[in-house]
C-alpha cells in the first residue's frame, strides 16, 4: 500500500474487501504479519448473469461476508456466487438486483 501511494499514481488505497475476508487485518498490518489478500471477481460463470447482476452480486457477496463476521462466524472465501444470488432473490425479489438507492 505504501509503495502504491508513494508512486504518485493514486491518492487512496481501499482495504474494505480484504477486511471482509480477514477481520483481523488491521492488527496484522500494525504487527507487520499480514499477507497480501487476493480478491477475485465474484462471478457465477454465466456471462449474461454476470453482466446483468455482477455489481449487485459482488456487493452482496461481501455484505454476506460481513454478516458472517457480525454473527461471530468466520468469513467464507469459497462462498458460492450462486448461493448469494439465490438468497438475494429469495429475500428481496427482483428489487434485490438493483444497485441503486431509492
Amino acid at each position: 500500500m505504501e509503495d502504491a501511494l508513494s508512486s504518485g499514481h493514486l491518492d487512496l488505497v481501499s482495504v474494505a474487501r480484504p477486511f471482509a475476508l480477514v477481520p483481523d487485518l488491521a492488527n496484522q498490518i500494525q504487527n507487520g504479519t499480514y499477507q497480501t489478500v487476493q480478491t477475485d471477481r465474484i462471478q457465477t460463470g454465466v456471462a449474461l448473469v454476470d453482466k446483468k447482476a455482477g455489481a449487485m452480486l459482488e456487493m452482496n457477496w461481501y455484505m454476506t461476508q460481513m454478516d458472517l463476521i457480525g454473527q461471530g462466524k468466520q468469513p467464507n472465501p469459497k462462498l458460492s456466487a450462486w448461493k448469494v444470488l439465490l438468497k438475494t432473490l429469495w429475500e428481496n425479489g427482483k428489487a434485490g438486483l438493483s444497485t441503486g438507492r431509492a
Side-chain angles (χ1 to χ4, degrees), residues 66-73:
M66 296 301 288
D67 188 44
L68 288 171
I69 294 167
Q71 295 174 34
K73 299 177 183 176

Side-chain angles (χ1 to χ4, degrees), residues 2-77:
E2 291 175 11
D3 292 342
L5 289 169
S6 65
S7 74
H9 295 292
L10 51 92
D11 298 321
L12 175 73
V13 175
S14 172
V15 292
R17 290 179 181 177
F19 270 111
L21 297 174
V22 184
D24 191 42
L25 186 60
N27 289 330
Q28 292 179 21
I29 290 171
Q30 186 175 15
N31 297 332
T33 59
Y34 74 94
Q35 296 181 0
T36 300
V37 177
Q38 293 293 330
T39 56
D40 297 324
R41 291 209 51 85
I42 308 305
Q43 299 179 333
T44 63
V46 176
L48 181 63
V49 173
D50 292 334
K51 182 178 180 181
K52 294 286 186 182
M56 172 282 310
L57 182 59
E58 186 114 359
M59 180 178 65
N60 285 349
W61 190 90
Y62 282 101
M63 286 174 34
T64 301
Q65 301 296 347
M66 296 301 288
D67 188 44
L68 288 171
I69 294 167
Q71 295 174 34
K73 299 177 183 176
Q74 290 295 313
N76 179 4

